[in-house]
Coordinates of all heavy atoms in Angstrom, one line a residue:
M1 N 0.7 -8.9 -20.4 CA 1.2 -7.8 -19.5 C 2.2 -8.4 -18.6 O 2.0 -9.5 -18.0 CB 0.1 -7.2 -18.8 CG 0.5 -6.1 -17.9 SD -0.7 -5.5 -16.7 CE -1.7 -4.5 -17.7
A2 N 3.3 -7.7 -18.4 CA 4.4 -8.2 -17.5 C 3.9 -8.1 -16.0 O 3.2 -7.1 -15.7 CB 5.7 -7.4 -17.7
R3 N 4.3 -9.0 -15.2 CA 4.0 -9.0 -13.9 C 5.0 -8.0 -13.1 O 6.2 -7.9 -13.5 CB 4.2 -10.4 -13.2 CG 3.2 -11.3 -13.7 CD 3.2 -12.7 -13.1 NE 3.1 -12.6 -11.7 CZ 3.2 -13.6 -10.8 NH1 3.5 -14.8 -11.2 NH2 3.0 -13.4 -9.5
R4 N 4.4 -7.4 -12.1 CA 5.2 -6.5 -11.3 C 6.2 -7.3 -10.3 O 5.7 -8.3 -9.9 CB 4.4 -5.6 -10.5 CG 3.6 -4.6 -11.4 CD 2.4 -3.9 -10.6 NE 2.8 -3.4 -9.3 CZ 2.8 -2.1 -9.0 NH1 2.4 -1.2 -9.9 NH2 3.1 -1.7 -7.8
P5 N 7.3 -6.7 -10.0 CA 8.2 -7.3 -9.1 C 7.5 -7.3 -7.7 O 6.7 -6.4 -7.4 CB 9.4 -6.5 -9.1 CG 9.4 -5.7 -10.2 CD 8.0 -5.6 -10.7
V6 N 7.8 -8.3 -6.9 CA 7.2 -8.4 -5.6 C 8.3 -8.4 -4.5 O 9.3 -9.0 -4.6 CB 6.4 -9.8 -5.4 CG1 5.9 -9.9 -4.0 CG2 5.3 -9.8 -6.4
F7 N 8.2 -7.5 -3.5 CA 9.0 -7.4 -2.4 C 8.4 -7.9 -1.2 O 7.2 -7.6 -0.9 CB 9.4 -5.9 -2.1 CG 10.4 -5.3 -3.0 CD1 10.9 -6.0 -4.2 CD2 10.9 -4.0 -2.8 CE1 11.8 -5.4 -5.0 CE2 11.8 -3.5 -3.7 CZ 12.3 -4.1 -4.8
V8 N 9.0 -8.9 -0.5 CA 8.4 -9.6 0.7 C 9.1 -8.9 1.8 O 10.3 -8.8 1.9 CB 8.6 -11.1 0.7 CG1 8.1 -11.6 2.0 CG2 7.8 -11.8 -0.4
F9 N 8.3 -8.4 2.8 CA 8.9 -7.6 3.9 C 8.7 -8.3 5.2 O 7.7 -8.9 5.5 CB 8.3 -6.2 4.0 CG 8.8 -5.3 3.0 CD1 7.9 -5.1 1.9 CD2 9.9 -4.6 3.1 CE1 8.3 -4.2 0.9 CE2 10.3 -3.7 2.1 CZ 9.5 -3.5 1.0
D10 N 9.7 -8.2 6.1 CA 9.6 -8.6 7.5 C 9.3 -7.3 8.3 O 9.3 -6.3 7.7 CB 11.0 -9.2 7.9 CG 10.9 -9.8 9.3 OD1 9.9 -10.2 9.7 OD2 11.9 -9.9 9.9
A11 N 9.0 -7.5 9.5 CA 8.6 -6.4 10.3 C 9.5 -5.2 10.5 O 9.1 -4.0 10.3 CB 8.2 -6.9 11.8
S12 N 10.7 -5.5 10.8 CA 11.7 -4.3 11.0 C 11.9 -3.4 9.8 O 11.7 -2.2 9.9 CB 13.0 -4.9 11.4 OG 13.0 -5.5 12.7
P13 N 12.1 -3.9 8.6 CA 12.2 -3.1 7.4 C 10.9 -2.4 7.1 O 10.9 -1.2 6.6 CB 12.8 -3.9 6.3 CG 12.7 -5.3 6.7 CD 12.5 -5.2 8.2
L14 N 9.8 -3.1 7.3 CA 8.5 -2.5 7.0 C 8.2 -1.3 7.9 O 7.8 -0.2 7.5 CB 7.4 -3.6 7.2 CG 6.0 -3.3 6.7 CD1 6.0 -3.2 5.2 CD2 5.0 -4.4 7.3
I15 N 8.5 -1.5 9.2 CA 8.3 -0.4 10.2 C 9.3 0.8 9.9 O 8.9 2.0 9.9 CB 8.5 -0.9 11.6 CG1 7.4 -1.8 12.0 CG2 8.6 0.3 12.6 CD1 7.7 -2.7 13.3
A16 N 10.5 0.5 9.5 CA 11.5 1.6 9.2 C 11.1 2.3 8.0 O 11.1 3.5 8.0 CB 12.9 0.9 9.0
L17 N 10.7 1.7 6.9 CA 10.2 2.3 5.7 C 9.0 3.2 6.0 O 8.8 4.2 5.4 CB 10.0 1.3 4.6 CG 11.3 0.7 4.0 CD1 10.9 -0.4 3.1 CD2 12.0 1.8 3.3
A18 N 8.0 2.6 6.8 CA 6.8 3.4 7.1 C 7.2 4.6 7.9 O 6.6 5.7 7.7 CB 5.9 2.5 7.9
A19 N 8.1 4.5 8.8 CA 8.5 5.6 9.8 C 9.2 6.7 8.9 O 9.0 7.9 9.2 CB 9.4 5.2 10.9
T20 N 9.8 6.4 7.8 CA 10.5 7.4 7.1 C 9.7 7.9 5.8 O 10.1 8.8 5.2 CB 11.8 6.8 6.5 OG1 11.5 5.7 5.7 CG2 12.8 6.4 7.6
G21 N 8.6 7.3 5.7 CA 7.6 7.7 4.6 C 8.0 7.1 3.2 O 7.4 7.5 2.2
L22 N 9.0 6.2 3.2 CA 9.4 5.6 1.9 C 8.6 4.5 1.4 O 8.6 4.2 0.3 CB 10.9 5.2 2.0 CG 11.9 6.3 2.3 CD1 13.3 5.8 2.5 CD2 11.9 7.3 1.1
L23 N 7.9 3.9 2.4 CA 7.0 2.7 2.0 C 6.0 3.1 1.0 O 5.7 2.3 0.0 CB 6.4 2.1 3.3 CG 5.9 0.7 3.1 CD1 6.8 -0.3 2.6 CD2 5.2 0.3 4.4
E24 N 5.4 4.2 1.0 CA 4.4 4.7 0.2 C 4.9 4.9 -1.3 O 4.1 5.0 -2.2 CB 3.7 5.9 0.7 CG 2.9 5.6 2.0 CD 2.3 6.8 2.6 OE1 2.0 7.8 1.8 OE2 1.9 6.8 3.7
R25 N 6.1 5.0 -1.5 CA 6.7 5.2 -2.8 C 7.0 3.9 -3.6 O 7.2 4.0 -4.7 CB 8.1 5.9 -2.6 CG 8.0 7.3 -2.0 CD 9.3 7.9 -2.0 NE 9.1 9.2 -1.3 CZ 10.1 10.1 -1.3 NH1 11.3 9.8 -1.7 NH2 10.0 11.3 -0.7
L26 N 6.8 2.8 -2.9 CA 7.0 1.5 -3.7 C 6.1 1.4 -4.9 O 6.5 0.8 -5.9 CB 6.8 0.3 -2.7 CG 7.9 0.1 -1.7 CD1 7.6 -1.1 -0.8 CD2 9.3 -0.1 -2.3
D27 N 4.9 1.8 -4.7 CA 3.9 1.7 -5.8 C 4.4 2.5 -7.1 O 4.3 2.0 -8.2 CB 2.5 2.1 -5.5 CG 1.4 1.9 -6.5 OD1 1.4 0.6 -7.0 OD2 0.8 2.8 -7.0
R28 N 5.0 3.7 -6.8 CA 5.5 4.4 -8.0 C 6.7 3.8 -8.6 O 7.0 4.1 -9.7 CB 5.9 5.8 -7.4 CG 4.7 6.7 -7.2 CD 5.1 8.1 -6.9 NE 5.0 8.2 -5.4 CZ 5.6 9.1 -4.6 NH1 6.3 10.0 -5.2 NH2 5.4 9.1 -3.4
L29 N 7.4 2.9 -8.0 CA 8.5 2.1 -8.5 C 8.0 0.9 -9.2 O 8.9 0.2 -9.8 CB 9.4 1.8 -7.3 CG 10.2 2.9 -6.6 CD1 11.0 2.3 -5.4 CD2 11.0 3.6 -7.5
G30 N 6.7 0.6 -9.2 CA 6.2 -0.5 -9.9 C 6.5 -1.8 -9.2 O 6.6 -2.9 -9.8
V31 N 6.4 -1.7 -7.9 CA 6.7 -2.9 -7.0 C 5.5 -3.2 -6.2 O 4.9 -2.3 -5.6 CB 7.9 -2.6 -6.1 CG1 8.2 -3.7 -5.2 CG2 9.2 -2.4 -7.0
D32 N 5.2 -4.5 -6.0 CA 4.1 -4.9 -5.1 C 4.8 -5.2 -3.7 O 5.7 -6.0 -3.7 CB 3.3 -6.1 -5.5 CG 2.4 -5.7 -6.7 OD1 2.0 -4.5 -6.7 OD2 2.1 -6.6 -7.5
A33 N 4.3 -4.7 -2.7 CA 4.8 -5.0 -1.3 C 3.9 -6.1 -0.7 O 2.6 -6.0 -0.7 CB 4.8 -3.8 -0.4
V34 N 4.4 -7.2 -0.2 CA 3.7 -8.3 0.4 C 4.3 -8.8 1.7 O 5.5 -8.7 1.9 CB 3.7 -9.5 -0.6 CG1 2.9 -10.7 0.0 CG2 3.2 -9.2 -2.0
V35 N 3.4 -9.0 2.7 CA 3.9 -9.6 3.9 C 3.0 -10.7 4.3 O 1.9 -10.9 3.9 CB 3.7 -8.5 5.1 CG1 4.6 -7.3 4.8 CG2 2.3 -8.1 5.3
P36 N 3.6 -11.7 5.1 CA 2.8 -12.7 5.6 C 1.9 -12.2 6.7 O 2.1 -11.2 7.3 CB 3.8 -13.8 6.0 CG 5.0 -13.0 6.3 CD 5.0 -11.8 5.4
M37 N 0.8 -13.0 6.9 CA -0.1 -12.6 8.0 C 0.5 -12.4 9.3 O 0.2 -11.5 10.1 CB -1.2 -13.7 8.2 CG -2.1 -13.8 7.0 SD -3.5 -15.0 7.1 CE -2.6 -16.5 7.3
E38 N 1.6 -13.2 9.6 CA 2.3 -13.1 10.9 C 3.0 -11.7 11.0 O 3.0 -11.1 12.1 CB 3.3 -14.2 11.1 CG 2.6 -15.5 11.2 CD 2.4 -16.3 9.8 OE1 2.5 -15.6 8.7 OE2 2.1 -17.4 9.8
V39 N 3.5 -11.2 10.0 CA 4.2 -9.9 10.0 C 3.1 -8.8 10.2 O 3.3 -7.9 11.0 CB 5.1 -9.7 8.7 CG1 5.4 -8.3 8.7 CG2 6.2 -10.6 8.7
R40 N 2.1 -8.9 9.4 CA 0.9 -7.9 9.6 C 0.5 -7.8 11.0 O 0.4 -6.8 11.7 CB -0.2 -8.2 8.7 CG -1.3 -7.2 8.9 CD -2.7 -7.7 8.7 NE -3.0 -8.9 9.3 CZ -3.8 -9.9 8.8 NH1 -4.4 -9.7 7.7 NH2 -4.0 -11.0 9.5
D41 N 0.3 -9.0 11.7 CA -0.2 -9.1 13.1 C 1.0 -8.5 14.0 O 0.6 -7.9 14.9 CB -0.4 -10.5 13.5 CG -1.6 -11.0 12.7 OD1 -2.4 -10.3 12.1 OD2 -1.8 -12.4 12.8
E42 N 2.2 -8.6 13.6 CA 3.3 -8.1 14.4 C 3.4 -6.6 14.4 O 3.6 -6.0 15.4 CB 4.6 -8.8 14.1 CG 5.8 -8.3 14.9 CD 7.0 -9.0 14.5 OE1 7.0 -10.2 14.1 OE2 8.1 -8.4 14.5
V43 N 3.1 -6.0 13.3 CA 3.3 -4.6 13.1 C 2.0 -3.8 13.4 O 2.2 -2.5 13.7 CB 3.9 -4.1 11.7 CG1 5.2 -4.7 11.5 CG2 2.9 -4.5 10.6
V44 N 0.9 -4.4 13.3 CA -0.4 -3.6 13.6 C -1.3 -4.3 14.6 O -2.3 -3.8 14.9 CB -1.2 -3.2 12.3 CG1 -0.4 -2.3 11.4 CG2 -1.7 -4.4 11.6
G45 N -0.8 -5.4 15.1 CA -1.6 -6.1 16.1 C -1.6 -5.6 17.5 O -1.0 -4.5 17.7
E46 N -2.1 -6.3 18.4 CA -2.2 -5.8 19.8 C -0.9 -5.6 20.4 O -0.7 -4.8 21.4 CB -3.0 -6.8 20.6 CG -4.5 -6.7 20.2 CD -5.3 -7.7 21.1 OE1 -4.9 -8.0 22.2 OE2 -6.3 -8.1 20.6
G47 N 0.2 -6.2 19.9 CA 1.5 -6.1 20.5 C 2.2 -4.8 20.3 O 3.1 -4.4 20.9
R48 N 1.6 -4.1 19.3 CA 2.2 -2.7 18.9 C 1.4 -1.6 19.4 O 0.2 -1.6 19.3 CB 2.2 -2.6 17.3 CG 3.0 -1.5 16.8 CD 4.4 -2.0 16.5 NE 5.2 -0.9 15.9 CZ 6.4 -0.5 16.3 NH1 7.0 -1.3 17.2 NH2 7.0 0.4 15.8
A49 N 1.9 -0.7 20.2 CA 1.2 0.4 20.8 C 0.5 1.2 19.7 O 1.1 1.6 18.6 CB 2.1 1.3 21.6
P50 N -0.8 1.5 19.9 CA -1.6 2.2 18.8 C -1.1 3.6 18.6 O -1.5 4.2 17.5 CB -3.0 2.2 19.4 CG -2.9 1.9 20.9 CD -1.5 1.2 21.1
G51 N -0.4 4.2 19.4 CA -0.1 5.7 19.2 C 1.1 5.9 18.3 O 1.4 7.0 17.9
H52 N 1.9 4.9 17.9 CA 3.0 5.0 17.0 C 2.6 5.5 15.6 O 1.7 4.8 15.0 CB 3.8 3.7 16.9 CG 4.6 3.4 18.1 ND1 4.2 2.5 19.1 CD2 5.8 3.9 18.6 CE1 5.1 2.4 20.0 NE2 6.0 3.3 19.8
A53 N 3.3 6.4 15.1 CA 2.9 7.0 13.8 C 3.0 5.9 12.7 O 2.2 5.9 11.8 CB 3.8 8.2 13.5
E54 N 4.0 5.1 12.8 CA 4.2 4.1 11.8 C 3.1 3.0 11.7 O 2.8 2.6 10.7 CB 5.6 3.4 11.8 CG 5.9 2.6 13.0 CD 6.5 3.4 14.2 OE1 6.5 4.6 14.1 OE2 6.9 2.7 15.1
R55 N 2.6 2.8 12.9 CA 1.4 1.8 13.0 C 0.2 2.5 12.3 O -0.5 1.7 11.5 CB 1.1 1.6 14.4 CG -0.1 0.6 14.4 CD -0.6 0.2 15.8 NE -1.8 -0.6 15.6 CZ -2.4 -1.2 16.7 NH1 -1.9 -1.1 17.9 NH2 -3.4 -1.9 16.5
L56 N 0.0 3.8 12.4 CA -1.1 4.4 11.7 C -0.9 4.3 10.2 O -1.9 4.0 9.5 CB -1.3 5.8 12.1 CG -1.6 6.0 13.7 CD1 -1.5 7.6 14.0 CD2 -2.9 5.4 14.1
V57 N 0.4 4.6 9.8 CA 0.6 4.6 8.4 C 0.4 3.1 7.8 O -0.2 2.9 6.8 CB 2.0 5.0 8.0 CG1 2.4 4.7 6.6 CG2 2.3 6.5 8.4
L58 N 0.9 2.1 8.6 CA 0.8 0.8 8.1 C -0.6 0.3 8.1 O -1.2 -0.4 7.2 CB 1.6 -0.1 9.0 CG 3.1 -0.1 8.8 CD1 3.9 -0.7 9.9 CD2 3.5 -0.6 7.4
D59 N -1.5 0.7 9.1 CA -2.9 0.4 9.1 C -3.6 0.9 7.9 O -4.4 0.2 7.2 CB -3.6 1.1 10.4 CG -3.6 0.2 11.6 OD1 -3.4 -1.0 11.4 OD2 -3.6 0.8 12.7
Q60 N -3.3 2.1 7.5 CA -3.9 2.7 6.2 C -3.4 2.0 5.0 O -4.2 1.7 4.1 CB -3.5 4.2 6.1 CG -4.2 5.0 7.2 CD -5.7 5.0 7.1 OE1 -6.3 5.0 6.0 NE2 -6.3 4.6 8.2
L61 N -2.2 1.6 4.9 CA -1.7 0.9 3.8 C -2.3 -0.5 3.6 O -2.6 -0.9 2.5 CB -0.1 0.9 3.8 CG 0.6 2.1 3.6 CD1 2.1 2.1 3.9 CD2 0.4 2.7 2.2
F62 N -2.4 -1.1 4.8 CA -3.2 -2.4 4.7 C -4.6 -2.3 4.3 O -5.2 -3.1 3.5 CB -3.0 -3.2 6.1 CG -1.7 -3.7 6.4 CD1 -1.0 -3.4 7.5 CD2 -1.1 -4.6 5.5 CE1 0.2 -3.9 7.8 CE2 0.2 -5.1 5.7 CZ 0.8 -4.8 6.9
L63 N -5.3 -1.3 4.8 CA -6.7 -1.0 4.5 C -6.9 -0.7 3.0 O -7.8 -1.2 2.3 CB -7.3 0.1 5.3 CG -7.6 -0.2 6.8 CD1 -8.0 1.0 7.5 CD2 -8.7 -1.3 6.8
R64 N -6.0 0.0 2.4 CA -6.0 0.4 1.0 C -5.5 -0.7 0.1 O -5.5 -0.6 -1.1 CB -5.2 1.7 0.8 CG -5.8 3.0 1.3 CD -5.1 4.2 0.8 NE -3.7 4.0 0.3 CZ -2.7 4.7 0.8 NH1 -2.8 5.5 1.8 NH2 -1.5 4.5 0.2
K65 N -4.9 -1.7 0.7 CA -4.4 -2.9 0.0 C -3.1 -2.4 -0.8 O -2.8 -3.0 -1.8 CB -5.3 -3.6 -0.9 CG -6.5 -4.2 -0.1 CD -7.2 -5.2 -0.9 CE -8.5 -5.7 -0.2 NZ -8.3 -6.1 1.1
A66 N -2.5 -1.4 -0.3 CA -1.2 -1.0 -0.9 C -0.1 -1.9 -0.5 O 0.9 -2.0 -1.1 CB -0.8 0.4 -0.4
I67 N -0.3 -2.6 0.7 CA 0.5 -3.7 1.1 C -0.4 -5.0 1.2 O -1.4 -5.0 1.8 CB 1.2 -3.5 2.5 CG1 2.0 -2.2 2.6 CG2 2.0 -4.7 3.0 CD1 2.4 -1.9 4.0
L68 N 0.0 -6.0 0.4 CA -0.8 -7.2 0.3 C -0.4 -8.1 1.4 O 0.8 -8.2 1.9 CB -0.6 -7.8 -1.1 CG -0.8 -6.9 -2.3 CD1 -0.5 -7.7 -3.5 CD2 -2.3 -6.5 -2.3
V69 N -1.4 -8.9 2.0 CA -1.1 -9.8 3.0 C -1.4 -11.2 2.4 O -2.5 -11.5 1.8 CB -2.0 -9.5 4.2 CG1 -1.8 -10.6 5.3 CG2 -1.9 -8.1 4.8
D70 N -0.5 -12.1 2.6 CA -0.6 -13.5 2.1 C -0.3 -14.4 3.2 O 0.3 -14.1 4.2 CB 0.3 -13.7 0.9 CG -0.2 -14.7 -0.1 OD1 -1.1 -15.5 0.3 OD2 0.4 -14.9 -1.1
R71 N -0.6 -15.8 3.0 CA -0.3 -16.8 3.9 C 0.7 -17.7 3.3 O 0.7 -17.8 2.1 CB -1.6 -17.5 4.4 CG -2.2 -18.3 3.3 CD -3.4 -19.2 3.8 NE -4.0 -19.8 2.7 CZ -3.6 -21.0 2.3 NH1 -2.6 -21.7 2.8 NH2 -4.2 -21.6 1.3
V72 N 1.5 -18.3 4.1 CA 2.5 -19.3 3.7 C 1.7 -20.5 3.4 O 0.9 -21.1 4.2 CB 3.5 -19.6 4.8 CG1 4.5 -20.7 4.4 CG2 4.3 -18.2 5.1
R73 N 1.9 -21.1 2.2 CA 1.2 -22.3 1.7 C 2.1 -23.5 2.0 O 1.5 -24.6 2.2 CB 0.9 -22.1 0.2 CG -0.2 -21.1 -0.1 CD -0.4 -20.8 -1.5 NE -1.4 -19.9 -1.7 CZ -1.4 -18.5 -1.5 NH1 -0.4 -18.1 -0.8 NH2 -2.4 -17.8 -1.8
D74 N 3.3 -23.4 2.0 CA 4.2 -24.5 2.3 C 4.4 -24.7 3.7 O 5.4 -24.2 4.3 CB 5.5 -24.4 1.5 CG 6.4 -25.7 1.6 OD1 6.2 -26.6 2.4 OD2 7.4 -25.7 0.8
T75 N 3.5 -25.3 4.4 CA 3.6 -25.4 5.9 C 4.8 -26.3 6.4 O 5.3 -26.1 7.4 CB 2.3 -25.9 6.5 OG1 1.9 -27.2 5.8 CG2 1.2 -24.9 6.2
T76 N 5.2 -27.2 5.5 CA 6.4 -28.1 5.9 C 7.5 -27.2 6.0 O 8.4 -27.3 6.9 CB 6.5 -29.2 4.9 OG1 5.3 -30.0 4.8 CG2 7.7 -30.1 5.2
A77 N 7.7 -26.4 5.0 CA 8.9 -25.5 4.9 C 8.9 -24.5 6.2 O 9.8 -24.2 6.8 CB 9.0 -24.7 3.7
L78 N 7.6 -23.9 6.5 CA 7.5 -23.0 7.6 C 7.9 -23.8 8.9 O 8.5 -23.2 9.7 CB 6.0 -22.6 7.6 CG 5.7 -21.6 8.7 CD1 6.6 -20.3 8.7 CD2 4.2 -21.2 8.8
K79 N 7.4 -24.9 9.0 CA 7.7 -25.7 10.2 C 9.2 -25.9 10.4 O 9.8 -25.7 11.5 CB 7.0 -27.0 10.3 CG 7.2 -27.8 11.5 CD 6.5 -29.2 11.5 CE 6.8 -29.9 12.8 NZ 6.2 -31.2 12.9
R80 N 9.9 -26.3 9.2 CA 11.3 -26.5 9.4 C 12.1 -25.2 9.6 O 12.9 -25.1 10.5 CB 11.8 -27.1 8.0 CG 13.2 -27.6 8.1 CD 13.6 -28.3 6.8 NE 13.7 -27.4 5.7 CZ 12.9 -27.6 4.6 NH1 12.2 -28.8 4.4 NH2 13.0 -26.8 3.6
V81 N 11.7 -24.1 8.9 CA 12.4 -22.8 9.2 C 12.2 -22.3 10.6 O 13.0 -21.8 11.2 CB 12.0 -21.8 8.1 CG1 12.6 -20.4 8.4 CG2 12.4 -22.3 6.7
S82 N 10.9 -22.5 11.1 CA 10.6 -22.1 12.5 C 11.4 -22.8 13.5 O 11.4 -22.3 14.7 CB 9.1 -22.3 12.7 OG 8.3 -21.5 11.9
E83 N 12.0 -23.9 13.2 CA 12.9 -24.6 14.2 C 14.1 -23.8 14.6 O 14.7 -24.1 15.6 CB 13.2 -26.0 13.7 CG 12.0 -26.9 13.6 CD 12.3 -28.3 13.0 OE1 13.4 -28.4 12.6 OE2 11.4 -29.1 12.9
N84 N 14.5 -22.9 13.8 CA 15.7 -22.0 14.1 C 15.3 -21.1 15.2 O 14.5 -20.3 15.1 CB 16.1 -21.2 12.8 CG 17.3 -20.4 13.0 OD1 17.7 -20.0 14.1 ND2 18.1 -20.2 11.9
P85 N 16.0 -21.3 16.3 CA 15.7 -20.5 17.6 C 16.0 -19.0 17.4 O 15.5 -18.2 18.2 CB 16.6 -21.1 18.6 CG 17.7 -21.7 17.9 CD 17.1 -22.2 16.6
R86 N 16.7 -18.6 16.4 CA 17.0 -17.2 16.1 C 15.9 -16.5 15.4 O 16.0 -15.3 15.2 CB 18.3 -17.1 15.4 CG 19.5 -17.5 16.1 CD 20.8 -17.3 15.4 NE 21.9 -17.5 16.2 CZ 23.1 -17.4 15.8 NH1 23.4 -17.1 14.5 NH2 24.1 -17.8 16.6
L87 N 14.9 -17.2 14.9 CA 13.9 -16.7 14.1 C 12.6 -16.6 14.8 O 12.2 -17.6 15.4 CB 13.7 -17.4 12.7 CG 14.9 -17.4 11.8 CD1 14.6 -18.3 10.6 CD2 15.3 -16.0 11.4
S88 N 11.8 -15.6 14.7 CA 10.5 -15.5 15.2 C 9.5 -16.2 14.2 O 10.0 -16.4 13.1 CB 10.0 -14.0 15.5 OG 9.8 -13.4 14.1
R89 N 8.4 -16.4 14.6 CA 7.4 -17.1 13.6 C 7.2 -16.1 12.4 O 7.1 -16.6 11.3 CB 6.1 -17.3 14.4 CG 5.0 -17.9 13.5 CD 5.2 -19.4 13.4 NE 4.0 -19.9 12.7 CZ 3.9 -21.2 12.4 NH1 4.9 -22.0 12.7 NH2 2.8 -21.6 11.7
A90 N 7.1 -14.8 12.7 CA 7.0 -13.8 11.6 C 8.2 -13.9 10.7 O 8.1 -13.8 9.5 CB 6.8 -12.5 12.1
D91 N 9.4 -14.0 11.3 CA 10.6 -14.1 10.4 C 10.5 -15.3 9.5 O 10.8 -15.2 8.3 CB 11.9 -14.1 11.3 CG 12.2 -12.9 12.1 OD1 11.8 -11.8 11.7 OD2 12.8 -13.1 13.2
A92 N 10.2 -16.4 10.1 CA 10.1 -17.6 9.3 C 9.1 -17.5 8.2 O 9.4 -18.0 7.1 CB 9.9 -18.8 10.3
A93 N 7.9 -17.0 8.5 CA 6.8 -16.8 7.5 C 7.4 -15.9 6.4 O 7.1 -16.2 5.2 CB 5.6 -16.3 8.2
A94 N 8.0 -14.8 6.7 CA 8.5 -14.0 5.6 C 9.5 -14.7 4.7 O 9.5 -14.6 3.5 CB 9.1 -12.7 6.2
L95 N 10.4 -15.6 5.3 CA 11.3 -16.3 4.4 C 10.6 -17.4 3.6 O 11.1 -17.6 2.6 CB 12.3 -16.9 5.4 CG 13.4 -16.1 6.1 CD1 14.1 -16.9 7.1 CD2 14.2 -15.4 5.0
C96 N 9.5 -17.9 4.1 CA 8.8 -18.9 3.4 C 7.7 -18.5 2.4 O 7.2 -19.2 1.6 CB 8.2 -19.9 4.3 SG 9.4 -20.9 5.3
L97 N 7.4 -17.2 2.5 CA 6.4 -16.7 1.6 C 6.9 -16.7 0.2 O 6.3 -16.9 -0.8 CB 6.0 -15.3 2.0 CG 4.7 -14.7 1.4 CD1 3.5 -15.6 1.8 CD2 4.4 -13.3 1.9

């Protein structure tokens, strides 16, 4: 069986797609959505106000495992990419996933 394509998301496009309702359509396109743990924490963690509609959508998608959460295994690459002052830790993790 062929593997499905994987899209790795950072916080901004993930939030924008959730806000527009387009994120839920990825499964119908035959694509797996994956985010690093740092991105999940950024979009549904304590730093994000609980009343935002996109946070509720994202919470549900994470609970249903419609968006998969993974960790960066190459910590050396993550450390090197994280040295860029223009990138947040979540940005670096998304690039290294």
Side-chain angles (χ1 to χ4, degrees):
M1 181 192 280
R3 293 182 61 185
R4 290 166 49 116
V6 174
F7 285 4
V8 177
F9 288 97
D10 187 26
S12 294
L14 193 67
I15 292 167
L17 288 169
T20 59
L22 296 174
L23 193 57
E24 296 180 18
R25 295 183 183 186
L26 288 178
D27 189 53
R28 286 185 261 161
L29 295 174
V31 174
D32 287 331
V34 180
V35 299
M37 293 183 297
E38 294 86 348
V39 169
R40 181 211 42 214
D41 295 345
E42 186 175 320
V43 298
V44 296
E46 292 183 23
R48 191 94 176 133
H52 286 104
E54 65 271 8
R55 179 181 174 172
L56 299 173
V57 170
L58 289 166
D59 274 333
Q60 289 301 311
L61 292 171
F62 286 125
L63 286 172
R64 290 193 336 241
K65 299 195 184 315
I67 302 173
L68 305 173
V69 180
D70 204 353
R71 66 178 178 83
V72 175
R73 288 167 179 75
D74 188 346
T75 56
T76 303
L78 180 59
K79 182 178 179 187
R80 189 174 65 234
V81 173
S82 294
E83 291 173 357
N84 184 329
R86 293 182 173 181
L87 298 175
S88 69
R89 180 79 174 179
D91 293 335
L95 289 170
C96 293
L97 196 60

